[in-house]
Amino acid sequence: MSSLKKLTTPSGIISALAIDQRGALRRMLGEDASQESLENFKSLVSENLTAHASSILLDPEFGLPAAAKRDENCGLLMAYEKTGYDSTVAGRLPNLIANQSVKRLKEAGADAVKLLIYVDVDEDKAINDCKQAFVERVGSECVAEDLPFFLEIITYDAAISDKREYAKIKPHKVIEAMKLYADPRYHVSVLKVEVPVDMNFVEGFGDDYVYTKEEAAAFYKEQAKISNLPFVFLSAGVSAQMFHDTLNFAKASGSTFNGVLCGRATWAGAAKAYKEAGSDKAAEWLQTIGKSNIIELAKLVEELATPIK
């Protein structure tokens, strides 16, 4: 398998910027946002922030112009999945971008490929079997093209929508999903995962909690022992401060996470500026607040994360 060095800092930590959002970004910029607007916004983020990131995660649908504007020392991850899922069909089944393949993403300059799947380990076996075969196929493609395979896992429960109720079972969902897809048959190079608890429901982080700090810390330790695969945390749309607090808590709890793939916590304010005042204001936000966000995060991650050997 190809090396991860193009995607890490010199010390071996992944400090990556994620802006492969498509549907979510269109909602942030306005439902009537054009393809040109999405491409322009991604380019602004890439141009202004990638000097401070080890790599950037983009999509081939709106992100190719942004890929061309990234810093010369910044590696490139490319998303392979279609955005979202068909809510009329059970299982949140994954699908791939119709006109893409790992070979084509490599030809477009990708140093690694990322696939997102939604996982409920307790859902119907037939549904999970489909997802497992799907990941196997993508893993085999990545092996054939000698590209690292990043698997992003977003967990859920098919029967629970209440956030507090889900928080009670989230550690089980996250940890068991990681355990499943760490199996060598999937050829995953790096797991991109949620933290094992909803920090809004941890003692001291929210008004209403379902875990004490000690209980939450134990889940971070358990997650870190699941496999020998490198794993990075996604920011899940939380604020920059909450993400920083979460990473500090993770480290103090004994987590050996290998970095982050952080999106909206870094650049969300620029999307608001772009929608309300245009690209110049968005660029101004990125050059000030956005730059500060990513520099602070990169410094923190360098201090807290475990280098990939």
Side-chain angles (χ1 to χ4, degrees):
M1 178 59 67
S2 182
S3 171
L4 293 169
K5 287 184 179 178
K6 290 182 179 179
L7 306 162
T8 66
T9 66
S11 61
I13 287 165
I14 295 173
S15 184
L17 176 64
I19 184 162
D20 62 322
Q21 290 83 352
R22 284 150 278 175
L25 181 58
R26 179 167 267 128
R27 289 190 291 275
M28 294 173 80
L29 298 181
E31 290 293 349
D32 59 346
S34 64
Q35 171 147 345
E36 183 181 5
S37 292
L38 269 70
E39 289 179 348
N40 185 39
F41 182 76
K42 288 171 184 276
S43 293
L44 285 171
V45 172
S46 179
E47 191 172 19
N48 285 289
L49 299 184
T50 51
H52 313 288
S54 67
S55 41
I56 184 171
L57 170 60
L58 289 161
D59 59 280
E61 293 168 288
F62 305 106
L64 293 179
K69 292 192 174 183
R70 74 187 192 279
D71 185 86
E72 62 181 3
N73 296 313
C74 181
L76 177 62
L77 292 109
M78 292 293 278
Y80 192 14
E81 79 283 345
K82 279 186 179 178
T83 188
Y85 54 86
D86 185 349
S87 60
T88 66
V89 178
R92 304 190 186 185
L93 297 174
N95 207 347
L96 299 177
I97 302 169
N99 66 343
Q100 292 297 328
S101 65
V102 172
K103 180 181 285 292
R104 291 185 179 194
L105 294 173
K106 184 178 183 179
E107 288 171 346
D111 299 308
V113 167
K114 186 272 297 185
L115 176 72
L116 181 152
I117 55 168
Y118 295 90
V119 179
D120 176 1
V121 290
D122 301 307
E123 203 164 10
D124 186 88
K125 185 180 184 299
I127 289 173
N128 278 314
D129 199 38
C130 286
K131 293 178 183 179
Q132 289 160 31
F134 187 88
V135 175
E136 288 166 10
R137 287 194 291 272
V138 175
S140 293
E141 270 196 86
C142 289
V143 169
E145 295 299 329
D146 192 29
L147 278 187
F149 177 24
F150 281 59
L151 182 66
E152 178 175 2
I153 300 172
I154 303 294
T155 61
Y156 69 100
D157 187 286
I160 298 175
S161 57
D162 181 79
K163 289 184 178 181
R164 189 179 192 280
E165 287 305 304
Y166 184 70
K168 296 176 183 178
I169 57 172
K170 183 177 180 179
H172 159 72
K173 300 287 188 180
V174 172
I175 291 168
E176 290 304 313
M178 285 181 65
K179 184 185 296 184
L180 170 62
Y181 286 104
D183 190 301
R185 71 180 292 116
Y186 300 106
H187 298 293
V188 174
S189 308
V190 177
L191 289 165
K192 179 186 177 188
V193 294
E194 302 159 289
V195 297
V197 295
D198 186 332
M199 294 300 293
N200 292 298
F201 295 98
V202 174
E203 177 187 16
F205 286 83
D207 296 331
D208 178 25
Y209 66 90
V210 298
Y211 319 108
T212 64
K213 288 183 178 179
E214 291 75 19
E215 289 168 336
F219 287 127
Y220 277 97
K221 286 182 184 177
E222 185 180 353
Q223 180 187 44
K225 294 176 181 177
I226 285 303
S227 84
N228 292 322
L229 281 182
F231 70 99
V232 298
F233 288 137
L234 54 91
S235 60
V238 302
S239 69
Q241 187 59 55
M242 174 60 101
F243 196 47
H244 289 195
D245 292 344
T246 298
L247 295 179
N248 276 305
F249 186 86
K251 177 66 173 182
S253 300
S255 178
T256 53
F257 69 98
N258 303 103
V260 299
L261 252 165
C262 180
R264 285 167 286 181
T266 299
W267 52 256
K272 185 173 186 291
Y274 190 97
K275 180 181 179 181
E276 294 177 354
S279 60
D280 287 348
K281 283 295 182 183
E284 183 180 316
W285 191 97
L286 289 165
Q287 290 159 9
T288 53
I289 301 172
K291 181 179 177 181
S292 175
N293 283 346
I294 197 167
I295 289 174
E296 286 179 18
L297 178 61
K299 182 181 177 183
L300 185 66
V301 173
E302 199 70 29
E303 293 172 358
L304 302 180
T306 300
I308 297 172
K309 296 178 182 178

